[in-house]
């Protein structure tokens, strides 16, 4: 499986928003872009998709920016990627339907449908809250100092 750059940046941006959700303030796009090292213009495209999926909300003005539209425990990795990765969740194209429909049906049912279901199930069990917590653990681990 291959997640596009847009999908990876979307996940990273949502984790960043999750890390700053407790403040209740809106995070400016330029702050997100600087913190993650991502182009502001590229992030605008990603956030357009996330906003359309009702995962984030925005406000304009000097105190404007973005914040999560739902609690972190209600947002899954599946919801984020589904909003951004249109091709990842499309059904497999038929390959031998004309000459061997029974083989096509077997592949669809036992391979492609099974893979899609497993991917969806796995991603639906991962919440943004879990991702934020894991990112914090990683940060804490990298801040440890060892003295000899």
């Amino acid at each position: 499986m291959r997640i596009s750059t847009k999908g990876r940046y979307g996940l990273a941006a949502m984790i960043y928003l999750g890390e700053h959700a407790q403040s209740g303030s809106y995070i400016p796009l330029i702050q997100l872009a600087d913190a993650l090292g991502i182009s502001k213009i590229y992030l605008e495209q990603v956030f357009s998709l996330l906003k359309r999926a009702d995962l984030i909300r925005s406000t304009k003005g000097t105190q404007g920016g973005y914040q999560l539209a739902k609690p972190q425990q209600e947002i899954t990795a599946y919801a984020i990627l589904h909003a951004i990765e249109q091709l990842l969740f499309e059904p497999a194209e038929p390959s031998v339907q004309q000459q061997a429909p029974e083989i096509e049906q077997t592949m669809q049912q036992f391979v492609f449908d099974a893979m899609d279901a497993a991917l969806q199930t796995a991603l639906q069990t991962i919440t943004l809250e879990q991702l934020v917590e894991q990112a914090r653990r990683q940060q804490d681990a990298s801040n440890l100092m060892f003295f000899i």
Side-chain angles (χ1 to χ4, degrees), residues 81-113:
L81 290 173
H82 189 263
I84 299 169
E85 297 283 352
Q86 287 83 21
L87 297 178
L88 183 63
F89 300 101
E90 283 187 0
E93 293 286 326
S95 49
V96 293
Q97 181 66 36
Q98 294 292 334
Q99 300 293 43
E102 70 285 352
I103 293 175
E104 183 66 42
Q105 186 176 1
T106 299
M107 291 187 320
Q108 187 66 44
Q109 183 178 1
F110 290 98
V111 178
F112 306 128
D113 289 349

Side-chain angles (χ1 to χ4, degrees), residues 10-11 14 50 55 75-85 128:
L11 275 171
M14 290 293 286
L50 293 169
L55 296 175
I75 300 173
T76 64
Y78 176 81
I80 297 166
L81 290 173
H82 189 263
I84 299 169
E85 297 283 352
L128 181 57

Side-chain angles (χ1 to χ4, degrees), residues 123-135:
L123 291 174
Q124 285 177 331
T125 63
I126 303 167
T127 66
L128 181 57
E129 182 178 48
Q130 292 168 322
L131 294 172
V132 168
E133 182 58 34
Q134 186 59 37

Side-chain angles (χ1 to χ4, degrees), residues 2-116:
R2 188 175 194 110
I3 304 292
S4 73
T5 301
K6 200 176 279 190
R8 293 191 311 274
Y9 286 171
L11 275 171
M14 290 293 286
I15 293 169
Y16 186 86
L17 284 177
E19 288 177 329
H20 296 85
Q22 290 176 334
S23 71
S25 61
Y26 286 83
I27 306 296
L29 194 64
I30 193 71
Q31 179 182 333
L32 270 154
D34 288 345
L36 299 174
I38 301 171
S39 158
K40 179 181 176 262
I41 294 169
Y42 200 77
L43 261 184
E44 286 173 344
Q45 296 172 19
V46 171
F47 273 43
S48 168
L49 296 169
L50 293 169
K51 190 173 177 183
R52 190 175 315 144
D54 294 323
L55 296 175
I56 59 172
R57 62 178 160 246
S58 64
T59 187
K60 296 181 182 196
T62 56
Q63 299 299 315
Y66 293 89
Q67 67 179 198
L68 300 176
K70 300 176 183 179
Q72 294 178 40
Q73 62 272 19
E74 293 179 20
I75 300 173
T76 64
Y78 176 81
I80 297 166
L81 290 173
H82 189 263
I84 299 169
E85 297 283 352
Q86 287 83 21
L87 297 178
L88 183 63
F89 300 101
E90 283 187 0
E93 293 286 326
S95 49
V96 293
Q97 181 66 36
Q98 294 292 334
Q99 300 293 43
E102 70 285 352
I103 293 175
E104 183 66 42
Q105 186 176 1
T106 299
M107 291 187 320
Q108 187 66 44
Q109 183 178 1
F110 290 98
V111 178
F112 306 128
D113 289 349
M115 280 183 3
D116 290 344

